[in-house]
Amino acid sequence: MAEHQNSEVITKSKVEKAISLLKEQKPKERDDVSDRVAVQKMRRYIEKLTSSKYGYTYDEVSEMLKGLGIHLSGSRIKYLIGELRKSSRSRQKAEPSDDSSTSENPATETQPTVKANSEAEKSLVNSAKGKSKKQQPAVQEKEDKSVPQSQTNRNAFVPKIYRDEDL
């Protein structure tokens, strides 16, 4: 193995200067882009040309681009446009609209209830030790009644409570 040559001592101040120099660097401008990025940038114009108003096919658009040195088949362009549409649709669904209220998010409303249930479970487990079996179901019934039906969420996780005897 080659030995490490220690030709110069690296001081803490040099390291700090190097870090600040590296932080200031901007991304390099690249000459080449992927076919996905190229179609993403040209998407609006490709969709315009392939609309019913203009009537061009994806193969015709492909031929136009070949004249500029962009070699993408019509089917590849069509596929990439479809992928871009899908990704923008899923982004729109993920972003909440401005006019929606917070009450449409039932998970946030039920979080305090879930927390209360978990605290009740801990107290049930701690208090169940050394007590008779008759008292345990009464505590569990009381716990079930503490969650109003209007606040429950079908998609919310509801843990099942096991007694020591069930295990």
Side-chain angles (χ1 to χ4, degrees), residues 1-5:
M1 296 202 150
E3 281 192 36
H4 175 53
Q5 294 180 349

Side-chain angles (χ1 to χ4, degrees), residues 32-115:
D32 300 331
V33 294
S34 68
D35 56 353
R36 186 175 303 273
V37 171
V39 170
Q40 182 180 15
K41 291 183 181 230
M42 297 183 288
R43 175 184 173 184
R44 184 179 352 170
Y45 307 103
I46 293 170
E47 287 178 333
K48 179 181 171 183
L49 289 175
T50 56
S51 69
S52 59
K53 182 178 178 181
Y54 284 81
Y56 287 94
T57 65
Y58 288 102
D59 289 328
E60 290 171 328
V61 172
S62 172
E63 289 298 319
M64 289 178 211
L65 296 176
K66 276 183 187 170
L68 299 172
I70 300 173
H71 300 284
L72 293 172
S73 67
S75 60
R76 180 70 179 157
I77 295 171
K78 185 175 182 177
Y79 170 78
L80 291 171
I81 292 286
E83 288 295 308
L84 291 168
R85 284 182 184 150
K86 275 192 237 176
S87 67
S88 65
R89 251 185 267 137
S90 62
R91 252 187 279 124
Q92 288 173 353
K93 287 180 184 177
E95 295 173 359
S97 60
D98 293 336
D99 58 348
S100 66
S101 66
T102 56
S103 65
E104 290 180 5
N105 189 353
T108 38
E109 291 179 4
T110 58
Q111 283 178 349
T113 306
V114 171
K115 185 176 180 182

Side-chain angles (χ1 to χ4, degrees), residues 144-156:
D144 290 340
K145 290 178 183 176
S146 69
V147 180
Q149 291 292 343
S150 63
Q151 288 187 354
T152 57
N153 182 4
R154 292 183 192 180
N155 298 331

Side-chain angles (χ1 to χ4, degrees), residues 7-18:
S7 62
E8 186 180 333
V9 176
I10 302 172
T11 62
K12 289 181 181 179
S13 64
K14 286 182 182 178
V15 172
E16 289 174 8
K17 287 179 184 177

Side-chain angles (χ1 to χ4, degrees), residues 123-155:
S123 66
L124 174 65
V125 170
N126 291 337
S127 65
K129 294 178 182 175
K131 293 189 178 181
S132 68
K133 293 181 183 178
K134 292 180 182 177
Q135 290 177 344
Q136 289 176 353
V139 172
Q140 187 157 355
E141 287 174 14
K142 185 186 272 186
E143 184 179 303
D144 290 340
K145 290 178 183 176
S146 69
V147 180
Q149 291 292 343
S150 63
Q151 288 187 354
T152 57
N153 182 4
R154 292 183 192 180
N155 298 331

